[in-house]
Amino acid sequence: DVKVTQSSRYLVKRTGEKVFLECVQDMDHENMFWYRQDPGLGLRLIYFSYDVKMKEKGDIPEGYSVSREKKERFSLILESASTNQTSMYLCASRFWGETQYFGPGTRLLVL
Amino acid sequence: AQSVTQLDSQVPVFEEAPVELRCNYSSSVSVYLFWYVQYPNQGLQLLLKYLSGSTLVKGINGFEAEFNKSQTSFHLRKPSVHISDTAEYFCAVSGGQYNFNKFYFGSGTKLNVKP
């Protein structure tokens, strides 16, 4: 079975802090994704990566950056956390054109 | 960009009744279609997918969906629901003319199964 893990299930940070969310997949997938999920808005794509060191902006990249130094790991970085970034963050991975597999999510609260 | 519309934000239903969760998408060009389920405090789990072939797709937990190209719809159905089906369901689309590698998700439908 494909396994996608996220470094934290719950995280509390203060406004202005730099926040790192990490995602690891064990199936050698080329593509990895970061979404945020908010009530009534569904999932919105922040960034995705189609290979090591390759990234592309999604629909809501402002205030976020990403890093993919190794194929199995995709990090989401909040450069200076703000309260409007309080959300559930979901990581996913897949082979080209195939099903996305999701991690359990990280619920981030920014105070 | 592609858009995905889930017409019902909440669907209440009694146990053992049939249910249909509706999904429409905007692109008429060939796409891949998915339904995911999310249980409380968990990530998304794939229920079923349509890539090509038969328009009636069967998934896990007794769910099925029908791809209707002319109506650009991919409605999810189950003939008899259980309490354990209470969850949020997301329709997703990828491919087509906009961006093959991107997924577009609907806003979700909360299914509430009552005893």
Side-chain angles (χ1 to χ4, degrees):
Chain A
D1 280 351
V2 175
K3 194 165 185 183
V4 180
T5 57
Q6 295 183 228
S7 51
S8 305
R9 292 300 304 274
Y10 301 94
L11 212 49
V12 180
K13 295 291 181 181
R14 296 202 176 276
T15 302
E17 278 192 78
K18 191 169 186 176
V19 182
F20 293 87
L21 303 182
E22 293 210 318
C23 175
V24 178
Q25 50 97 2
D26 66 356
M27 282 301 291
D28 204 34
H29 286 167
E30 295 96 347
N31 305 157
M32 296 187 75
F33 305 79
W34 275 106
Y35 295 90
R36 66 176 282 175
Q37 181 182 14
D38 301 288
L41 297 178
L43 276 72
R44 293 179 292 168
L45 181 65
I46 304 172
Y47 268 97
F48 70 96
S49 168
Y50 46 91
D51 205 345
V52 175
K53 296 189 187 295
M54 307 301 281
K55 61 186 179 184
E56 191 166 323
K57 292 180 181 179
D59 301 312
I60 51 164
E62 296 78 19
Y64 303 95
S65 62
V66 290
S67 171
R68 193 160 179 208
E69 297 296 318
K70 293 185 178 182
K71 194 173 187 180
E72 69 270 18
R73 189 179 298 269
F74 190 36
S75 301
L76 179 69
I77 303 153
L78 286 65
E79 298 290 344
S80 176
S82 64
T83 54
N84 63 14
Q85 291 178 310
T86 290
S87 187
M88 168 76 109
Y89 290 88
L90 292 166
C91 175
S93 74
R94 70 166 183 175
F95 285 122
W96 287 99
E98 282 293 327
T99 307
Q100 286 198 2
Y101 294 91
F102 284 83
T106 296
R107 195 171 288 281
L108 173 66
L109 173 62
V110 183
L111 300 174
Chain B
Q2 176 73 267
S3 69
V4 181
T5 303
Q6 291 184 241
L7 296 165
D8 305 297
S9 60
Q10 296 196 49
V11 173
V13 63
F14 287 106
E15 195 173 18
E16 297 184 6
V19 71
E20 178 180 82
L21 306 184
R22 296 179 291 172
C23 173
N24 288 87
Y25 59 96
S26 59
S27 172
S28 60
V29 182
S30 62
V31 293
Y32 296 160
L33 298 157
F34 305 81
W35 274 100
Y36 286 85
V37 60
Q38 186 180 33
Y39 298 103
N41 297 314
Q42 294 187 26
L44 275 68
Q45 178 183 355
L46 180 71
L47 266 182
L48 49 79
K49 61 184 177 183
Y50 171 79
L51 304 181
S52 66
S54 173
T55 57
L56 183 62
V57 179
K58 292 191 185 297
I60 62 171
N61 300 341
F63 284 92
E64 63 181 32
E66 185 153 20
F67 168 55
N68 188 319
K69 188 175 182 179
S70 62
Q71 296 188 4
T72 60
S73 69
F74 191 55
H75 301 332
L76 181 70
R77 300 186 186 102
K78 186 169 182 178
S80 175
V81 295
H82 301 290
I83 296 287
S84 59
D85 293 323
T86 294
E88 190 160 19
Y89 293 79
F90 292 92
C91 179
V93 176
S94 78
Q97 60 185 345
Y98 298 106
N99 189 319
F100 177 74
N101 201 33
K102 278 191 177 180
F103 266 53
Y104 295 88
F105 285 85
S107 56
T109 298
K110 289 185 178 177
L111 177 64
N112 184 14
V113 182
K114 303 177 181 181

